[in-house]
Structures are given as C-alpha cells and as structure tokens.
Amino acid sequence: MKLRPFRLITVALTMWTAHANAQIVSTLEEFDDAVRNIQAGDELVMANGVWRDVELKFIGNGTAQEKISLRAEQPGKVVISGQSKLTS
C-alpha cells in the first residue's frame, strides 16, 4: 500500500464559523473522547500539527439546522499522514 499524506483541507472538511461549542483536540484520545460526547451544533477542531498513523472515526447525530462540524485549527496547518484513516 502506498502511503500518501494529505491535508485536512483537501479532504473537503469545511471551515465553519466558530461555534460556542467548539472543542480543540490535539491527541487521538482527546478526539475519541470528544466524538463520544459530540452533539448537534458542536464543532470539533483538530489542533495544528501532524496526526500520524491515526484512525479517526467521526460519527455524530447532527440535524439540518444544527450540523456537527470537523475542521482544522488553521487551514493547511493540520496534516494527516502515515497509515491514517478518517471515516464517518
């Protein structure tokens, strides 16, 4: 399998206006904890840096009016690399 690093912005994760319920995560454990507790209208923000060899499962129950969003802290500053996977 050929490994290809990719930027979150390329994965079509959309930048959203900051929400009152925004939570910044910087480790896989923090990401997993946040996803377990995420609710409609919340925003999960991945901290700048390289996320290497991580399996990210982004699952939640948003609504048409209150979406759940995932974004990079800063465009182009979050990189998922190695044998990583992002699923929803």
Side-chain angles (χ1 to χ4, degrees):
M1 174 194 305
K2 184 175 180 179
L3 302 179
R4 293 175 292 183
F6 53 94
R7 296 183 189 280
L8 281 180
I9 199 73
T10 306
V11 185
L13 295 177
T14 309
M15 288 291 298
W16 296 88
T17 307
H19 294 237
N21 297 330
Q23 181 176 354
I24 297 177
V25 295
S26 57
T27 66
L28 180 58
E29 292 78 21
E30 289 177 359
F31 181 94
D32 289 342
D33 285 342
V35 168
R36 275 193 289 279
N37 298 304
I38 205 158
Q39 297 179 9
D42 287 351
E43 178 180 52
L44 188 55
V45 180
M46 293 179 70
N48 293 342
V50 177
W51 292 69
R52 182 170 184 75
D53 300 327
V54 292
E55 186 172 337
L56 304 166
K57 294 179 184 174
F58 185 64
I59 300 168
N61 293 311
T63 67
Q65 295 76 30
E66 293 186 295
K67 296 176 178 25
I68 295 174
S69 60
L70 171 65
R71 70 172 178 90
E73 185 176 12
Q74 291 179 289
K77 300 284 183 173
V78 174
V79 177
I80 299 174
S81 68
Q83 293 197 23
S84 295
K85 203 177 359 178
L86 173 60
T87 58
S88 62

